[in-house]
Amino acid sequence: MSASPAASTNDGQASGQTAKPGNEQVKFRFCGDCSNMLAPKEDRINNKLMYCCRMCQYSEEADSACIFRNNIYNVIGETAGVTQDVGSDPTLPRSNKRCPKCLENEAVFFQSQQRSAETGMKLFYVCCSCGHIFQ
């Protein structure tokens, strides 16, 4: 086993699986000669994307046009900001709902924090004994 990274050839997928269109995985590439990280560079003459070493003359053609991916996840959880300490809040309403985790009969409840037109009113319960959040 060598201590330096080899040129990357694996696409990160298990054998037999295909990537979804538009969901390529961006990966680091390393020089096969000096093990430095390769930088993306445009070959304007041949109109291709290349990965080139900045230390030596090594270069290889890119198998994908994607060099950077910025995934933004803006889904807010229904129980966002709720901690297990809400069981000790005296201002929240209490219920005799049984906790599925510890089987105690005291829980506080509150409405879903998600505000959108397609979601109906959901009640969430927090066990006063163990802090488990359930519906």
Side-chain angles (χ1 to χ4, degrees):
M1 182 171 167
S2 110
S4 62
S8 73
T9 56
N10 187 3
D11 64 356
Q13 301 268 338
S15 61
Q17 291 181 345
T18 57
K20 294 178 185 173
N23 202 14
E24 302 104 11
Q25 184 162 3
V26 179
K27 54 194 173 235
F28 289 105
R29 296 188 175 257
F30 296 94
C31 178
D33 296 335
C34 65
S35 298
N36 284 307
M37 192 165 72
L38 299 178
K41 186 176 181 181
E42 179 185 9
D43 181 3
R44 292 179 187 228
I45 296 170
N46 298 320
N47 198 22
K48 293 182 180 178
L49 179 64
M50 303 293 290
Y51 284 102
C52 301
C53 181
R54 293 180 178 161
M55 298 297 164
C56 65
Q57 299 300 315
Y58 181 82
S59 67
E60 64 183 44
E61 188 175 339
D63 56 351
S64 172
C66 182
I67 60 169
F68 179 78
R69 178 179 289 291
N70 185 14
N71 293 330
I72 299 174
Y73 300 104
N74 60 357
V75 176
I76 298 172
E78 295 174 325
T79 60
V82 176
T83 62
Q84 296 173 341
D85 299 336
V86 298
S88 61
D89 187 352
T91 62
L92 287 176
R94 301 201 176 267
S95 170
N96 290 336
K97 183 117 176 166
R98 182 178 291 260
C99 174
K101 187 175 181 182
C102 72
L103 304 176
E104 287 291 325
N105 284 325
E106 186 179 14
V108 295
F109 62 94
F110 57 92
Q111 189 175 351
S112 170
Q113 300 296 310
Q114 193 174 28
R115 304 283 186 235
S116 63
E118 65 269 359
T119 58
M121 185 179 99
K122 289 184 185 177
L123 288 179
F124 289 94
Y125 296 89
V126 179
C127 178
C128 293
S129 296
C130 69
H132 178 64
I133 301 172
F134 59 97
Q135 284 187 356

